[in-house]
Amino acid sequence: MSRHQVGMTVNGDAIQDEVSGERTLLEFLRDDLELTGTKVNCNDGDCGACTILVDGQPVNSCLLLAAEADGCEVVTVEGLAEGDELHPVQRGFIEGGGLQCGFCTPGVLISTVALLRDLPDADQEEMKERLAGNLCRCTGYTKIFDSVRRAQELAKEAQVAP
Amino acid sequence: MYFKASGFDLIRPDTLDEAIAERAGRDDSQYLAGGTALLSSRYAGDGAFPGLLISLGKVGGLAGIESIDEMVRIGAGTPLSSIETDQGIAQDFPTLSEAARASGSWQLRVRATIGGNIGNASPTADLGPSLVALDARIHYRDVKGEGQAELDQIWKQPGELELPPSSVITAIELPRRSSATGSAYQRLSVRRAMDTAMAGASAAITLGDGGEIEDARIVLGGVVSVPTRIPKAEKALIGARSDDENVLGVVSEVVEAEARGSKLLQTKSSPTIAGYLRRSKGDSKDAAGEYRKRVVPILATRAVETAISRAQQSHNGGSQ
């Protein structure tokens, strides 16, 4: 099996490691770096539970080989908060009650971070469009979108705060 | 490893020439672009997974959208998300923006490339009908050098384009027609989001100076195994006035007759709908196919209607 040297930043930390060509970024993050916030579920790009940011873009880490992320900047759910200060999107989901079992939540949060960065004034349709790849079997989605809207307000407040 | 996977090796060459040489040297190898389709097929368990993946990730210059004279050139490594959000594509080729947006989720579109999408030649790929309607020309490279082909001419069977064995698609070129052109894509799926199209239709319409239909392309997807032009319907439109109310009825009739006589796609485009139709109607295994036959005339008519209306707007100098 081929081996590959990889260097990437994960949540701001510089990581150097060696991986087999077959290893997915999801496996690398969870099993090698022990960042288990990112969830494994369908392993097929359908459910979005493994969504992380790679160079700012939300991707399914189950469908990206770790070796392919060489040189990339990776952010997982563990990297959203700054110290004890939760990310506005995390606060939005707490205040909006946008989770029940919580399994889809790390992926949903990551997709929402990317959504509100790209489209700060996103309307309901745009929110649905950008979150379509994150399946949730608990909430029925209503409270997820309530939470995204709350996160949208909080993100705007954070922008204008001194 | 979370799922039992077939073992494979990965190489990440720096240049296209190296990648092509590796591909030519091993029959059981495959290029790896965005990987969304290739890697999701790896647990299928049918033993068909390649033994060597040749990543194009380090090969530069494959992504990007540029206007060159009367042409728009889309690099094969351009992700679908960039095609969907590109203003120029939305202006000149709305059917392609719509098809890109219909494919998978945002996460998948961020990684999935147009070259990979075409190379997989999936019968249900949303981009296929639009690219054929837009007269897409494929640029590729193999061990012998550069080549080009009309997409329509090399997409003859599902799953593989008729290109030399080691070729890698490098770019897709779309000719920009006169200003009075409009195009549109229509599809049907069980769920609106994240679902494979049961059937799709793309139309591209060009108007002459007097508002008559000068050229027309109508292409169906998901009904037979490759994107299929309906020349009879195209001919019926050419010469007609674009504001003639009868043209849509003609399109519907011709497409219906063509679909009725066509050899339907054998593989189910969507297991979900096939299963659903079997259960709900107690119908044969071709239920999904029969259903698709009924759906495509409607999709084609809607695509033509929208394409004509966009062509009229651009004919009258408005922005679509």
Side-chain angles (χ1 to χ4, degrees), chain B residues 21-273:
Chain B
E22 295 283 353
R23 177 74 185 85
R26 257 182 85 166
D27 281 347
D28 71 334
S29 62
Q30 188 52 273
Y31 295 115
L32 172 67
T36 52
L38 182 55
L39 292 174
S40 86
S41 72
R42 128 180 97 133
Y43 306 114
D46 55 7
F49 199 80
L52 173 67
L53 298 189
I54 303 160
S55 164
L56 301 175
K58 285 169 79 176
V59 176
L62 286 177
I65 300 169
E66 51 182 336
S67 273
I68 307 164
D69 301 326
E70 292 307 297
M71 209 64 100
V72 170
R73 187 179 187 280
I74 305 175
T78 307
L80 300 189
S81 57
S82 300
I83 292 167
E84 142 184 11
T85 53
D86 185 84
Q87 291 300 316
I89 299 274
Q91 181 69 39
D92 294 335
F93 312 107
T95 187
L96 189 59
S97 310
E98 288 165 348
R101 187 167 302 127
S103 310
S105 64
W106 179 254
Q107 288 100 312
L108 291 172
R109 303 202 291 277
V110 159
R111 289 289 306 168
T113 66
I114 185 170
N117 192 281
I118 296 172
N120 286 329
S122 162
T124 58
D126 282 292
L127 294 190
S130 296
L131 289 167
V132 171
L134 296 170
D135 291 331
R137 173 171 280 275
I138 304 305
H139 287 244
Y140 62 89
R141 221 154 110 190
D142 70 349
V143 279
K144 292 182 186 141
E146 314 255 343
Q148 316 185 7
E150 299 289 335
L151 179 60
D152 197 21
Q153 298 301 310
I154 56 173
W155 197 335
K156 300 294 186 192
Q157 56 180 347
E160 198 173 2
L161 299 181
E162 288 179 6
L163 289 173
S166 63
S167 42
V168 58
I169 297 171
T170 53
I172 292 88
E173 272 185 3
L174 304 173
R176 214 191 271 115
R177 289 164 167 262
S178 78
S179 57
T181 294
S183 65
Y185 179 63
Q186 289 281 328
R187 79 198 294 263
L188 186 74
S189 53
V190 181
R191 289 171 296 155
R192 199 154 55 97
M194 277 285 281
D195 203 0
T196 311
M198 274 183 262
S202 173
I205 302 286
T206 306
L207 302 182
D209 292 339
E212 78 286 0
I213 296 175
E214 194 176 82
D215 197 14
R217 289 273 188 288
I218 301 174
V219 187
L220 306 183
V223 179
V224 293
S225 52
V226 297
T228 308
R229 278 178 67 180
I230 309 293
K232 276 187 191 167
E234 295 172 355
K235 282 198 191 97
L237 283 179
I238 292 170
R241 289 204 50 83
S242 63
D243 53 4
D244 181 348
E245 287 169 6
N246 297 323
V247 296
L248 296 180
V250 172
V251 169
S252 174
E253 270 175 42
V254 174
V255 172
E256 194 177 343
E258 290 284 303
R260 213 184 300 127
S262 68
K263 196 163 181 287
L264 283 166
L265 181 61
Q266 294 300 308
T267 326
K268 296 293 175 283
S269 66
S270 159
T272 320
I273 187 66

Side-chain angles (χ1 to χ4, degrees), chain A residues 72-132:
Chain A
C72 290
E73 192 179 317
V74 173
V75 176
T76 68
V77 70
E78 289 95 338
L80 292 183
E82 289 190 31
D84 291 338
E85 183 72 23
L86 290 179
H87 191 282
V89 169
Q90 292 171 307
R91 287 191 282 134
F93 273 72
I94 291 170
E95 293 179 25
L99 57 142
Q100 288 180 26
C101 87
F103 192 84
C104 72
T105 309
V108 173
L109 294 177
I110 293 286
S111 285
T112 306
V113 168
L115 160 78
L116 294 179
R117 181 206 56 209
D118 293 350
L119 305 166
D121 299 310
D123 60 21
Q124 177 83 2
E125 273 311 299
E126 289 166 326
M127 289 175 186
K128 283 184 177 176
E129 182 66 43
R130 288 294 187 97
L131 292 180

Side-chain angles (χ1 to χ4, degrees), chain B residues 268 274 277-278 281 283-292:
Chain B
K268 296 293 175 283
L277 286 168
R278 268 204 300 283
K281 290 170 67 183
D283 216 333
S284 76
K285 64 180 168 55
D286 283 332
E290 285 303 319
Y291 184 70
R292 290 200 300 270

